[in-house]
Structures are given as structure tokens and as C-alpha cells.
């Protein structure tokens, strides 16, 4: 699945229109895999802003498919300690959910912190139909590996 600039824009616009309104003072956008997801995460934060308040954002680095998640999980556990004191709702945003592995462990940590399923909104611009994690809001499902117009060859996806 090739995603050019126009398709990316159209997917973002159609996705945003379906997102529920949230309180911008008590909702955090987690920008999962910032090198890929910052455009859709920022658009989400802007779209859901209100009363002059944009949603706070926090970057979350995640491992490549064959890389261990241990250091990333440790960092996220440390970073997320403050979330429960500041935010009632968390929105996970990623450009592409492929296997669903990262969203699975991220959501488990948030649930362990005391968030309920209804407090966590999961968003993906593109989701593989084979993903073990099913997002709440998806721009488009695909059976083929998504390739964005701004990507270059990445051996991690072989």
C-alpha cells in the first residue's frame, strides 16, 4: 500500500472527523514512533484542542520488529508515572500499526497504572488486517505493508 502526500492528508482528515471530543486540559496524546507518526499525532492534538488549549503530547519510542522492547518498556514505565496525576484520558497515535505488538505492551502498562479501557483511545492512520491489536479508530486497513512517500528503504521491515 503506497501512501502519497494526498492520500496521507485524506486519511488524516477522514480519521479526525471520527474521533470523539475530549477535554484538552486532561487528555494526553502519545506520539508512538515519532519519526513516523508526528504528522498524524500533531494533527490529532490540534483537531481535538478547544478553548485555546491544545492537547499535550509525549513522544514514545518503540522497537523495530526484531529489536528487544525491554529498554523502551523501561523508559515508558518511567515516563508514564506522572500521567495519572495530570491526565484522565490517553490517546495513542501511530501512523501504522503493523503487528500490534507495541500497542499491546503500551496499553498493558497504562492499564497497570490504573487507567480503564474507556480512558485509552487507540488511533492508527493505517492498520494491517493481520495486527493482533485492533485500534479504536483507523484511517484504513490494509493487507500489504504500508509505504509512505517520505520513507526510504529500511531493512527492519524485511
Amino acid at each position: 500500500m503506497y501512501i502519497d502526500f494526498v492520500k496521507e492528508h485524506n486519511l488524516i482528515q477522514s480519521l479526525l472527523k471520527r474521533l470523539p471530543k475530549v477535554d484538552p486540559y486532561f487528555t494526553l496524546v502519545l506520539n508512538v514512533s515519532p519519526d513516523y507518526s508526528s504528522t498524524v499525532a500533531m494533527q490529532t492534538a490540534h483537531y481535538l484542542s478547544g478553548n485555546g488549549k491544545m492537547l499535550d503530547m509525549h513522544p514514545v519510542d518503540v522497537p523495530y520488529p526484531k529489536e528487544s522492547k525491554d529498554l523502551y518498556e523501561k523508559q515508558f514505565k518511567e515516563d508514564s508515572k506522572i500521567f495519572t496525576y495530570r491526565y484522565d484520558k490517553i490517546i495513542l497515535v501511530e501512523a501504522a500499526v503493523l503487528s500490534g505488538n507495541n500497542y499491546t505492551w503500551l496499553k498493558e502498562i497504562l492499564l497497570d497504572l490504573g487507567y480503564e479501557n474507556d480512558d485509552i483511545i487507540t488511533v492508527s492512520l493505517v492498520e494491517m488486517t493481520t495486527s493482533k491489536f485492533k485500534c479504536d479508530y483507523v484511517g484504513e486497513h490494509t493487507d500489504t505493508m504500508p509505504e509512505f512517500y517520505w520513507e526510504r528503504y529500511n531493512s527492519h521491515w524485511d
Side-chain angles (χ1 to χ4, degrees):
M1 168 187 221
Y2 183 72
I3 302 167
D4 63 16
F5 174 79
V6 173
K7 184 170 180 80
E8 178 186 54
H9 174 78
N10 290 339
L11 286 172
I12 290 171
Q13 297 311 305
S14 69
L15 181 62
L16 294 177
K17 292 174 187 173
R18 292 184 278 129
L19 295 179
K21 291 294 177 191
V22 295
D23 186 332
Y25 291 93
F26 299 104
T27 305
L28 174 67
V29 172
L30 293 180
N31 179 5
V32 180
S33 190
D35 52 341
Y36 281 79
S37 306
S38 289
T39 298
V40 66
M42 183 59 75
Q43 289 292 317
T44 300
H46 285 176
Y47 182 78
L48 295 175
S49 65
N51 299 323
K53 170 70 170 98
M54 188 184 93
L55 278 68
D56 290 338
M57 292 179 58
H58 182 82
V60 179
D61 289 317
V62 293
Y64 286 111
K66 295 175 185 162
E67 190 178 11
S68 171
K69 71 175 182 181
D70 295 344
L71 291 176
Y72 298 94
E73 191 175 50
K74 181 180 178 186
Q75 183 64 55
F76 184 68
K77 284 180 180 178
E78 184 65 29
D79 291 350
S80 63
K81 288 178 183 176
I82 196 167
F83 294 171
T84 56
Y85 299 105
R86 290 187 170 172
Y87 306 105
D88 298 330
K89 193 166 288 293
I90 303 288
I91 304 174
L92 291 159
V93 179
E94 191 166 19
V97 171
L98 305 177
S99 68
N101 290 335
N102 291 323
Y103 266 21
T104 298
W105 65 262
L106 289 168
K107 187 167 182 180
E108 285 174 4
I109 291 171
L110 293 170
L111 292 171
D112 288 346
L113 286 171
Y115 286 102
E116 302 288 330
N117 276 316
D118 290 344
D119 301 327
I120 304 166
I121 299 170
T122 55
V123 177
S124 180
L125 198 57
V126 178
E127 180 181 280
M128 295 284 290
T129 55
T130 55
S131 172
K132 72 179 186 179
F133 190 97
K134 302 303 177 193
C135 292
D136 300 313
Y137 299 93
V138 177
E140 188 171 322
H141 291 90
T142 183
D143 293 323
T144 60
M145 181 65 85
E147 178 188 350
F148 290 87
Y149 65 96
W150 41 260
E151 282 186 285
R152 63 185 171 125
Y153 171 73
N154 186 334
S155 63
H156 292 285
W157 307 130
D158 288 341

